[in-house]
Structure formats: structure tokens, C-alpha cells
Amino acid sequence: MAVAGRARRGTPMYSKNLTSKKKDDFEDILEERRQSSDLRYAMRCYSPVVYKGLSPCKPSALKTIVLQSEQVQYVVRELSKETGESPDIIQEEAAEILDEMGHSMHMGVVRFFALTLTKLFKCLFKSICVNEEGMQKLQQAIQEHPVVLLPSHRSYIDFLLLSYMLYTYDLALPVIASGIDFLGMKIVGELLRKSGAFFMRRSFGGNKLYWAVFAEYVKTMLKTGHAPVEFYLEGTRSRTAKSLTPKFGLLNIVLDPFLKREVFDIYLVPISISYERVLEESLYAYELLGVPKPKESTSGLLKARKILNEDFGSVHVYIGQPVSLRTLVDGRINRCPYNLVPRHIPQKPSEEIQKLVSDVAYKVELLQIENMVLSPWILIAAVLLQNLPAIDFELLVEKTLWLKGLTQAFGGFLDWPDNLCANKAVRSSLALHANIVSLVNGQVVLKDEDVGAGVAEELVFKQALSILLCGSYRNQLLNIFVRPALVAFALQMTLSSRKEELYDTFTFWRDLFSDEFIFFPGIPLKDFEEGCFLLTKCDAAQVTAQKILVTEKGNIVTSFLTEMFRPFVDGYQIICEYLSKEVNEDFTEKQFIFGVRSFASRLLETGSTQCYEVLSSDMQKNALAALVRFGTVTRKKITDGFTYSVSKEALSKTAGMFESRIPVRKLLAARL
């Protein structure tokens, strides 16, 4: 096939498991808690196994090691030369940074959290299920090499849940990278610090001393191996339940000791946390529609007590296979150049290292996605959003069962209640999410969210809230379906059935949506082939050496897939229309989001579109990033951020790709 030469050659770092997973042996860690004393659990003997049998390092001793390290001392001397300040003054500043940043793990506070969280989790969740095999592998990994825990991030409760789980299994508690915002919470901030949280500023702003102290603090914790280091590759909670593109800063830091041969190996452990119902679901929908995020505060936490009366279903925590960094790097990176420069002198990562860090980050996120556990509600939400404003209950059950089969064929990890018939399983899910949907006279309908004063009359806002709430659950299916769906879009938009032309169209959509969905960098052909394979696997398409043909049965599958992703296509098209009709001068991201929201609201009010998801700030930011990447929009750095300008000619050609059946290569050539 002619397109084969376009993909990056060599063995890819990530290879997806395309077989449907059987249910692993999950253990509900709340089951025993419901039958025994919470206080006895909190006060039990806790003697975790640690790396190479080391005795715990006191937080104060850790700070001393960091401040006296060659790297921090080198930066102190260099800054003293640059600024003329005394090294002692700069050293004091470094100590203050470390005091603000550092954790102060205290067993008394850990036991307090063990008691409090047991009571909290028993109120909130029906069960917290953990894969036992994953826990056993993690226990072994912690004893062999330094460990980095890399969980998915969907809720504030993620890090509490993980620490609680490790305490339950008598494993070393992690030290957790946390945003400095939490320190603004009176009492709670310090309690988090004493339970293992260390705090980082959202931006270092070119502060060399802060960067040096922070990097050395993380590396020292990792090298000494006294506790696993935990952070989120996504950087922040996903408001949409789609995985966010990874951030590389902390990963760069944790790879450094290995690259400089200060440790023999590091284990990276992908962890997937799946909520049947997310605690912050409504808050996220409001944020996506422009309602400011509430500031983290103790009073806000106390006001949130009302959720204790609600049911949030089950949580599944899947501990993935520990990934050896040494194995990943073997044959890819020459570490000898690191020996030519003293370890304490900061070095800018080479392009080769940056590529490695990017590949590792995407590999871990794809492993997180692969091990996410999908509940029946996720399938129901996907069906509902294609059958608005209402669907007959019996038809919903029928379509959900059909989607269950398709999800399993595509390798989805489903948690379907085997002890319930399909009818009862769907009813149970509708009851758990009664804040989003209701069953009225045999019809399942989306509820309109109650909105505050000043916006109660805005029907568009209310409808958008409901759709974004429901969409956040459907989104959990998208990374499983995205590759066959993009092949389906290519089949729909291209008159030809020739593989080469379909591949061109597929790569256009893949590139356009690379901020919406997680694709491993540089392997579009492998993704295309995976999409074709999955369509063949469910008998939706026949693939020959030169052509892809949709079967009679396949029309139902391809139609469902294209409709599932239609909001993204329509949303990006509306954004292009806004830029074409409404924008004639430079703009900031804030102005862009406000402008798109106003423009789209008018279209929704007049019935010109039904794409409510275009009102999401997440889609708006991702679309802007894509248009910058395509050269349709130019980004310029200014003093306090960036401004953007539109090339109307390039925009016209990009927008043409949404509807045109002209072979994409011709449109791409015209755009270039």
C-alpha cells in the first residue's frame, strides 16, 4: 500500500491490546470496612515494605539533603554572580521555597485520614474495587526500584482514594505533587501536607532558584526511594472525562536521575480510576460554560457536605503493569553524553530526550485509557445523545445492548452487572443518574439543570448543561471508538473507496482532533490500520489490499460512529464559521471564547444548529490550538500572554475540508 511509507518506521513504544478484557479479580476494599471497626482500622499496625528495606527519611532530613545538594548550591552560586546578592541570602530564599513546598508526612494525620475517609467513602460509594493482581505487582515493584505512580485525574478525590488504598494494602504511602491552591485552605492545606502532599506553583515564571529547588526535591525523593512519587500527567482534572494531552515538566524531572545513571531503573505505574458517577459532574458542566471555578477553600469544602446524602455508585481502580523505564529507553537513547558534564550542572534536554519524554507520556496515558472500566451508564449516555429529546425505554435497552456488543468487540473494559437482566441494569443506571435523566411515561428524557438567578430564562444554557453532563459520560467511550470512527468519517466524506484517499482523509481528522483525543505521536498509519481492523472485526467493512467497502450490516455501525463524533465535527465547523464571519482583527483567547459562545448561542436560539457542545470552553480551546497547528490562525507572544490572527484564505480552505468530497490531498495542496 502506497501510504505505508508515510508512517514512522521502527517498533512503536505503544501497542494496544485489541482484545476485550475479561473482568479481573477486583476486591471491594469497603466490604471489610462495613463489617469492622473504623477506629481499629485506622489505628492498626502499619508497616509497609519499602525500597531495598530503607528506613523512612524524616521530612526535615530530606530538606537538608536538598539544600546541601550540588545542584542547588551551583544555582545559588550562579545567581549570586548574576545578581550580586550574597549567597547566604539566596540560600535563605531557597530554604523558604522548600518550607512552602515540602511535605511533612506524619503518621497521626495519616491515621486521622484513614478514619475520616473510611466514613466518607462508605457514605459516598457502593464499592471501591481494586484489581488484586495489580496491587501485588505494585508491592513487588516498590521493593525493587523507585516507583512513580501516574493516575488518571477526574476528581479531587483521586489522590485521597489512592493513598487510602495503599494504606489498606500496607504499602508505602506516596508523596503527591499538588497545586499550591490547596495551601489557601485553612487547616485542610496543612493536613494534606502532613499526609504526603508537596506543593508546586502553577507557573515558575523563569524563576531559576524555584525550579532548581523543586527539581532537586522531587529527584531526591525518587533517588532515595523512601516513598513512591505521585503526580498527574494531565496536569489538572479533566472536566470532560476525556484524557487531556500530557504535560511533560514533571516527567522530565523524574527521568533525569535515570538518564544520569543515579538510579538503575525507575518503574512508571499507570493507574486508571473510573467513577460510575463523578462527584464534581455539575461543577464541571458549569465551568465549561464559563461559570468561574470556585476557589479552593475550607468553607467551600464544608458547604459540599450535602453530597454525603447522595449515591455515587462504584469506583474501580486499576493498577497497571509497572513499566520499566530502562526497558523503554534501551536502544533508543545514548546516555554517554550525560557523563561528559557534571551531574549538578543543569542541561537543556536534547530533541532526542524531548521525543522520549513525549513518547513515554503518551504511552502511559494510552495505558490508562485501555484500563478504564466502563459502566452501563456510559453506553446509555452515548445512545441518549443520539436520540434527543427522548427515547422509548425498551428501545433504549435494545440499543444499549447492541452498543455493549460493539464496545466489547472494540476492546472496551466493561463492568456489566451479570446478576441483573438488561432491563434492570438500565433502570439501575437511570436511577443512579436521576439528576441527569428521568423516565416519564415509558420515555427517557434529559432533565434541564436548575440554574441560578439571572440565567433561569436562558433555555440554551439549561439545555447545554444537561447535554454537557451527559456528554461527559459518553466521552469515556470516545478513545475506544475514535479510530474506527475516523475511518467511518473518511468513508462518508470520500466518494472513492480507495485506501490511499481514505487514509488522507483519516489523517486530516486525526491531526485536527489531536487535542481532543489521545493518539501516539507519529504512527497515523498504525491508527488507520487499527480502525480498519476493528470495522472488519465487527463485520462492518471488508478490507482488501486497495479498498475498504462498507457491508450492509456495516451501515448501522458506521452511522452510529459518525453520529457519536458529529458534535466535534459540527462544533469545529461553527468555530470556523465564527472566525470567517465575525473576526477581522487580532484577538486573545478570552475574547475568542466569549465570541464563539455568543455566536453559537445565537445559532442555537434560532434553531440553526443543535450542536450545544460547541459552547464548551474545552472544545473551543482545542479547536483554536488545532487551527494554530494547521497555520489557519497565527499566535503571537505579547507581554501578558498571546494574541491570535486569522488568515481568511487559509481558513476558507480548512473549512472546505469539513464538507467537500474533493480528495483531501488536493485541498491540502491548495492550503499549503
Side-chain angles (χ1 to χ4, degrees):
M1 182 177 167
V3 297
R6 301 180 196 172
R8 189 177 66 194
R9 298 190 182 277
T11 305
M13 184 181 283
Y14 172 75
S15 183
K16 184 179 177 183
N17 177 11
L18 296 177
T19 57
S20 181
K21 291 179 184 290
K22 294 179 181 178
K23 278 190 185 179
D24 283 46
D25 290 326
F26 280 92
E27 180 186 17
D28 176 13
I29 60 175
L30 287 186
E31 187 176 351
E32 187 179 341
R33 299 285 67 76
R34 297 188 195 280
Q35 297 169 7
S36 60
S37 165
D38 295 344
L39 184 60
R40 189 178 297 122
Y41 164 74
M43 300 306 295
R44 70 190 178 87
C45 176
Y46 171 69
S47 52
V49 293
V50 292
Y51 172 51
K52 293 184 177 177
L54 292 172
S55 57
C57 180
K58 291 183 179 179
S60 57
L62 184 65
K63 289 179 182 179
T64 302
I65 295 169
V66 172
L67 289 173
Q68 293 176 355
S69 68
E70 286 185 320
Q71 181 173 345
V72 171
Q73 289 301 309
Y74 173 80
V75 172
V76 167
R77 290 194 300 272
E78 290 299 302
L79 286 173
S80 179
K81 289 176 189 175
E82 289 176 20
T83 63
E85 274 193 282
S86 162
D88 291 341
I89 293 174
I90 298 172
Q91 184 76 12
E92 282 179 24
E93 189 182 340
E96 288 172 6
I97 289 170
L98 204 48
D99 286 340
E100 174 192 76
M101 177 190 302
H103 81 82
S104 54
M105 182 92 74
H106 187 280
M107 202 57 216
V109 174
V110 169
R111 294 189 187 282
F112 166 77
F113 270 113
L115 178 64
T116 307
L117 291 177
T118 298
K119 295 185 181 299
L120 177 69
F121 291 159
K122 286 194 294 186
C123 282
L124 293 175
F125 302 119
K126 183 174 67 178
S127 59
I128 296 176
C129 302
V130 183
N131 64 323
E132 289 186 295
E133 185 183 355
M135 289 304 304
Q136 291 164 7
K137 289 178 179 177
L138 177 59
Q139 182 178 35
Q140 185 64 36
I142 287 173
Q143 297 175 68
E144 294 175 355
H145 298 292
V147 165
V148 179
L149 303 177
L150 298 169
S152 57
H153 200 15
R154 302 292 176 269
S155 172
Y156 270 142
I157 217 160
D158 290 337
F159 69 95
L160 296 172
L161 191 61
L162 207 49
S163 293
Y164 180 82
M165 192 178 73
L166 294 178
Y167 179 82
T168 299
Y169 281 91
D170 219 27
L171 297 183
L173 294 177
V175 286
I176 308 151
S178 307
I180 199 100
D181 311 354
F182 286 106
L183 278 182
M185 300 174 71
K186 293 177 182 176
I187 304 173
V188 174
E190 284 307 311
L191 286 174
L192 292 175
R193 189 195 294 277
K194 289 176 187 284
S195 65
F198 65 95
F199 300 95
M200 57 186 290
R201 297 173 188 171
R202 292 294 181 188
S203 172
F204 297 176
N207 187 327
K208 293 179 184 177
L209 184 62
Y210 190 92
W211 175 258
V213 171
F214 179 78
E216 188 62 23
Y217 185 68
V218 174
K219 286 188 280 187
T220 301
M221 290 190 291
L222 197 64
K223 287 184 290 186
T224 54
H226 295 294
V229 174
E230 177 188 330
F231 65 90
Y232 302 105
L233 276 174
E234 295 169 276
T236 187
R237 293 170 297 159
S238 170
R239 270 67 173 170
T240 61
K242 291 190 287 100
S243 295
L244 306 177
T245 50
K247 308 295 185 292
F248 304 134
L250 266 166
L251 194 58
N252 263 308
I253 290 172
V254 301
L255 264 58
D256 196 63
F258 172 77
L259 295 171
K260 292 180 177 177
R261 301 177 190 270
E262 295 175 288
V263 294
F264 181 78
D265 199 359
I266 294 172
Y267 280 137
L268 307 175
V269 183
I271 300 174
S272 308
I273 306 176
S274 310
Y275 295 92
E276 193 172 5
R277 185 181 166 204
V278 178
L279 269 72
E280 303 99 322
E281 58 182 5
S282 293
L283 181 67
Y284 289 163
Y286 276 91
E287 281 186 47
L288 291 171
L289 290 172
V291 178
K293 168 192 164 188
K295 188 178 178 182
E296 287 83 359
S297 67
T298 306
S299 61
L301 184 64
L302 293 172
K303 288 175 185 173
R305 286 176 300 173
K306 63 181 181 180
I307 67 168
L308 296 176
N309 299 320
E310 297 187 43
D311 179 7
F312 289 88
S314 298
V315 183
H316 283 80
V317 182
Y318 190 98
I319 310 294
Q321 173 78 31
V323 178
S324 162
L325 184 59
R326 189 175 190 84
T327 303
L328 288 181
V329 171
D330 188 36
R332 280 194 52 156
I333 299 291
N334 178 13
R335 291 189 286 165
C336 292
Y338 279 91
N339 298 331
L340 304 176
V341 180
R343 287 173 176 168
H344 64 272
I345 297 178
Q347 297 181 59
K348 186 177 179 181
S350 65
E351 284 188 19
E352 187 182 37
I353 296 297
Q354 289 177 41
K355 181 72 177 66
L356 170 71
V357 171
S358 171
D359 283 359
V360 170
Y362 276 95
K363 176 184 174 69
V364 170
E365 283 209 5
L366 284 163
L367 288 170
Q368 290 174 352
I369 291 165
E370 194 176 307
N371 294 324
M372 286 289 188
V373 177
L374 306 171
S375 68
W377 168 247
I378 289 168
L379 310 183
I380 293 165
V383 172
L384 275 173
L385 287 171
Q386 291 194 32
N387 292 273
L388 296 176
I391 181 173
D392 180 77
F393 176 76
E394 296 300 330
L395 182 58
L396 175 64
V397 173
E398 180 187 325
K399 286 179 176 285
T400 301
L401 279 175
W402 174 84
L403 183 54
K404 176 192 172 195
L406 188 64
T407 302
Q408 289 173 323
F410 285 3
F413 195 171
L414 268 174
D415 177 47
W416 189 271
D418 296 327
N419 60 329
L420 294 179
C421 68
N423 193 299
K424 287 184 178 177
V426 172
R427 283 185 183 275
S428 174
S429 291
L430 295 179
L432 183 66
H433 297 275
N435 61 316
I436 302 176
V437 292
S438 55
L439 180 57
V440 182
N441 299 325
Q443 296 277 305
V444 180
V445 297
L446 278 187
K447 282 185 174 179
D448 285 338
E449 274 282 295
D450 292 330
V451 295
V455 288
E457 73 283 3
E458 297 182 17
L459 296 177
V460 166
F461 187 90
K462 292 173 70 176
Q463 183 71 0
L465 272 173
S466 299
I467 288 174
L468 290 183
L469 264 172
C470 201
S472 68
Y473 290 96
R474 173 218 54 205
N475 287 347
Q476 295 174 50
L477 268 185
L478 298 184
N479 263 303
I480 296 166
F481 283 63
V482 65
R483 290 158 188 83
L486 295 188
V487 175
F489 263 117
L491 285 162
Q492 185 185 78
M493 294 189 64
T494 310
L495 286 171
S496 171
S497 59
R498 291 180 62 236
K499 259 188 179 178
E500 194 165 2
E501 290 185 18
L502 293 169
Y503 177 72
D504 285 336
T505 308
F506 173 91
T507 54
F508 165 71
W509 291 115
R510 183 186 184 275
D511 292 346
L512 187 72
F513 292 142
S514 61
D515 289 298
E516 297 285 357
F517 312 107
I518 302 299
F519 299 105
F520 194 87
I523 56 167
L525 179 59
K526 190 170 184 294
D527 284 335
F528 178 70
E529 289 173 342
E530 180 188 318
C532 293
F533 169 76
L534 291 174
L535 289 177
T536 307
K537 186 180 178 184
C538 66
D539 298 325
Q542 292 179 342
V543 180
T544 67
Q546 300 296 330
K547 292 187 175 184
I548 302 172
L549 302 167
V550 179
T551 64
E552 188 175 341
K553 176 185 175 183
N555 286 323
I556 297 170
V557 175
T558 55
S559 175
F560 180 86
L561 292 175
T562 53
E563 284 307 305
M564 178 184 268
F565 286 82
R566 179 68 59 191
F568 297 92
V569 176
D570 290 351
Y572 277 48
Q573 194 167 13
I574 289 167
I575 288 167
C576 285
E577 188 181 347
Y578 161 73
L579 289 172
S580 175
K581 293 180 178 179
E582 304 280 321
V583 175
N584 294 303
E585 54 188 34
D586 290 3
F587 56 90
T588 63
E589 183 183 82
K590 188 176 180 181
Q591 290 168 333
F592 170 78
I593 289 171
F594 178 80
V596 170
R597 193 167 282 144
S598 300
F599 179 76
S601 293
R602 292 198 300 272
L603 294 179
L604 288 161
E605 287 166 16
T606 58
S608 302
T609 182
Q610 291 298 309
C611 182
Y612 286 88
E613 292 181 60
V614 73
L615 297 175
S616 164
S617 58
D618 182 75
M619 181 182 288
Q620 293 156 7
K621 290 174 184 177
N622 289 340
L624 182 59
L627 293 172
V628 169
R629 209 169 46 250
F630 272 57
T632 303
V633 173
T634 304
R635 188 174 76 162
K636 300 173 194 170
K637 175 74 175 162
I638 57 173
T639 308
D640 56 349
F642 295 93
T643 61
Y644 299 83
S645 57
V646 182
S647 164
K648 292 296 175 87
E649 184 181 354
L651 178 65
S652 174
K653 288 168 183 172
T654 300
M657 296 180 194
F658 286 89
E659 294 178 349
S660 178
R661 290 177 177 266
I662 301 170
V664 170
R665 68 180 57 201
K666 292 183 180 178
L667 283 164
L668 287 171
R671 180 164 64 85
L672 294 171

